Amino acid sequence: MTAKIDKTGAAITRRRALQGAGIAGMAATFGSLPFMRSARAADTTLRWWSPQSAPAQLAAYKFQIAQFQAANPGVKVVFEPTSDETYPAQLAAAYASGQVPDIVTHTPSFSVASYYAKGLVEPFDDVIKAIGPDKYYEGANQTYKAGDGHFTGTGIGNTAADNLWVRKDLMQKAGIDKIPDTWDELRTAAKKMQGGGIYGVPLPFAKNSATSFVVTTFIHGAGGQIFTPDLQVAIDSDATANALEFYKSLRELAPPGATSYSWGELITSFVSGATATGYYAGRVLVNVSKQNPGIADQITCAQYPTISASVPKSTLNDFPSVFIPKGTKNLEVAKKFAAFLFEPDGYIKQLLAAPGHVLPVLKTIAANPAYTSDPIIQKYPKEIELMTVNAAKGYNMGFESPAHKPNTKSVDIIAADVLSEMVQRVAVNNENTKTVMGDTAKKLEAIMKS
């Protein structure tokens, strides 16, 4: 996830860089480390890639870029938006051509692990040292720890990607007195709320990363895993069969166009009021407030239901990251800029571009009044706290549980659409579930051996 949505561009006025003591203070902070000592890098251009490029985020990036350029004469930073669906192909082309970006943000941590295992990522230890390891939440960088002891990157934030969003007014109207905890409760509630042009769920059934993330949530919610802790393929299981049958059963409760849905449609369906429930990260809060304020007092979220009360809930966190590709011609300046992204003024602006969506990885930021005073953070404290706590101890395909080895093939699996194809074959094409799981297991095994 990364769970990403609004990619619409907009012309944004460059903000004037801060002058005086603020810049001097930052320069002093960074100047203490070896890679920070150069006062000037003449005619250096840094290329920054990210799939997160909504207008408010672009404004925050502009602010950070302007500050950094003011503090580093001769350095120019160019932001280049990418895509959640296509960044693997874009990076593959960049590596093949030798024209890699200097810094990449907001891609899932499992993709960084995959690239590092292939020798395509610079160690990130110096940057974490510059940011301050003691500022992080405990264990925040564990998913970035490689087998060789180095860090592959760090989190630009956390994301609780698979919240169940609900409309309290529609629940009340349908006589539903609590947020669903189990799959049966969710299906029953969605059926009761469906009608009058409103559908029960906005789940995707297309061959894309959104569907792959949703089915991962369901497999875990059935008590299963895609891989064993030692990374043997485990998808051909009763848990996966239950997940696929549940997914299939929700097709009648999704809008007709769900067979082509990706991340954008998931959030838009709920925010617009077209669906009674939603599956998405915290961007829902700011989008509802801006686009459909009439329901702003009626929305809340919970961890996504599981098959039964005996299966504990968990939260899918793609751990939006920042890393430096191997091959950058500007390594030392790239490290300096990577650390600079966590300076409070700019980092808080970036987080508050979509309050509640990308959550802070630094304790010092989460407690900063400039962050906590935001109207969205203040309006939805329960939801923000729920997402922050659960995301921090979350999982993803590359980090399925604390017992699992890091899965460095995760980005290849997502790029191959193996999991979403499995969903399509069962839920849309009505193929035999057992046969499809067997075929999927073979495809996963081939990727793991590749």
Side-chain angles (χ1 to χ4, degrees):
M1 144 194 271
T2 296
K4 140 102 179 70
I5 302 318
D6 302 334
K7 293 186 170 73
T8 44
I12 299 173
T13 302
R14 171 167 298 191
R15 304 196 184 190
R16 188 166 63 179
L18 294 182
Q19 302 295 323
I23 291 296
M26 286 181 285
T29 298
F30 292 131
S32 63
L33 288 167
F35 74 85
M36 302 294 190
R37 287 174 184 160
S38 175
R40 179 183 179 91
D43 302 321
T44 298
T45 297
L46 292 182
R47 297 170 62 208
W48 174 10
W49 281 17
S50 173
Q52 293 281 315
S53 55
Q57 289 171 307
L58 288 174
Y61 304 159
K62 290 277 189 179
F63 177 85
Q64 291 177 298
I65 288 170
Q67 279 195 316
F68 186 75
Q69 290 178 163
N72 295 273
V75 178
K76 180 181 180 182
V77 180
V78 178
F79 180 80
E80 301 174 11
T82 59
S83 163
D84 281 319
E85 297 294 348
T86 62
Y87 79 81
Q90 291 172 293
L91 273 170
Y95 280 120
S97 68
Q99 299 297 317
V100 298
D102 300 284
I103 188 168
V104 180
T105 62
H106 298 94
T107 56
S109 65
F110 60 73
S111 69
V112 185
S114 294
Y115 293 132
Y116 187 85
K118 297 171 184 175
L120 300 176
V121 171
E122 292 285 349
F124 213 73
D125 307 59
D126 286 345
V127 181
I128 292 174
K129 182 179 179 182
I131 295 167
D134 58 323
K135 296 179 181 177
Y136 284 88
Y137 282 104
E138 184 178 355
N141 285 314
Q142 188 60 40
T143 187
Y144 299 98
K145 191 77 174 283
D148 62 5
H150 288 295
F151 291 99
T152 61
T154 194
I156 196 72
N158 284 324
T159 299
D162 58 352
N163 304 292
L164 172 68
W165 292 94
V166 297
R167 289 268 303 274
K168 293 180 286 187
D169 55 332
L170 296 180
M171 288 175 57
Q172 183 178 17
K173 183 178 178 181
I176 303 165
D177 59 5
K178 71 180 186 71
I179 297 175
D181 280 321
T182 66
W183 287 355
D184 285 344
E185 290 176 359
L186 173 59
R187 188 164 39 224
T188 298
K191 283 183 178 180
K192 287 183 177 180
M193 290 186 284
Q194 180 157 304
I198 297 176
Y199 290 89
V201 297
L203 299 181
F205 293 81
K207 192 175 178 181
N208 57 30
S209 68
T211 304
S212 296
F213 273 79
V214 174
V215 76
T216 300
T217 294
F218 288 179
I219 291 171
H220 281 232
Q225 298 281 351
I226 299 171
F227 295 93
T228 64
D230 62 353
L231 301 185
Q232 300 301 304
V233 175
I235 201 164
D236 191 353
S237 67
D238 290 342
T240 300
N242 289 332
L244 290 170
E245 290 302 317
F246 175 61
Y247 209 140
K248 183 177 180 179
S249 75
L250 296 177
R251 178 66 187 89
E252 65 176 342
L253 301 174
T259 51
S260 62
Y261 272 17
S262 187
W263 292 113
E265 292 79 12
L266 260 66
I267 188 171
T268 300
S269 293
F270 181 74
V271 168
S272 68
T275 59
T277 68
Y279 174 109
Y280 205 71
R283 190 188 292 273
V284 165
L285 297 174
V286 68
N287 280 24
V288 164
S289 296
K290 290 181 177 180
Q291 300 169 18
N292 194 4
I295 67 170
D297 292 333
Q298 302 299 332
I299 64 170
T300 189
C301 66
Q303 285 183 286
Y304 214 84
T306 56
I307 191 170
S308 70
S310 64
V311 177
K313 295 180 176 63
S314 57
T315 295
L316 178 62
N317 180 0
D318 58 354
F319 294 97
S321 63
V322 51
F323 73 94
I324 298 173
K326 181 82 74 174
T328 172
K329 299 176 179 63
N330 306 296
L331 178 58
E332 304 311 321
V333 183
K335 288 180 178 180
K336 187 174 184 179
F337 182 61
F340 187 87
L341 290 177
F342 292 85
E343 278 297 294
D345 285 351
Y347 186 45
I348 289 172
K349 284 183 183 294
Q350 191 178 129
L351 294 172
L352 294 182
H357 182 64
V358 179
L359 303 160
V361 296
L362 304 182
K363 297 177 292 185
T364 50
I365 298 297
N368 191 310
Y371 176 75
T372 59
S373 63
D374 178 82
I376 295 293
I377 304 296
Q378 291 192 334
K379 182 176 177 63
Y380 299 101
K382 180 172 71 73
E383 290 80 5
I384 298 291
E385 176 71 9
L386 176 78
M387 290 187 286
T388 301
V389 171
N390 291 329
K393 55 185 179 183
Y395 73 93
N396 60 37
M397 190 185 304
F399 187 65
E400 280 199 81
S401 81
H404 277 68
K405 295 179 181 178
N407 188 344
T408 60
K409 295 289 186 178
S410 299
V411 69
D412 303 301
I413 293 167
I414 293 293
D417 287 317
V418 174
L419 300 181
S420 58
E421 180 185 52
M422 176 179 69
V423 172
Q424 274 200 331
R425 289 179 63 185
V426 172
V428 179
N429 300 342
N430 294 311
E431 295 183 45
N432 179 269
T433 301
K434 185 66 177 176
T435 299
V436 173
M437 289 193 305
D439 292 344
T440 302
K442 292 176 183 177
K443 292 178 180 178
L444 290 174
E445 288 167 356
I447 291 174
M448 296 300 287
K449 293 176 182 177
S450 64

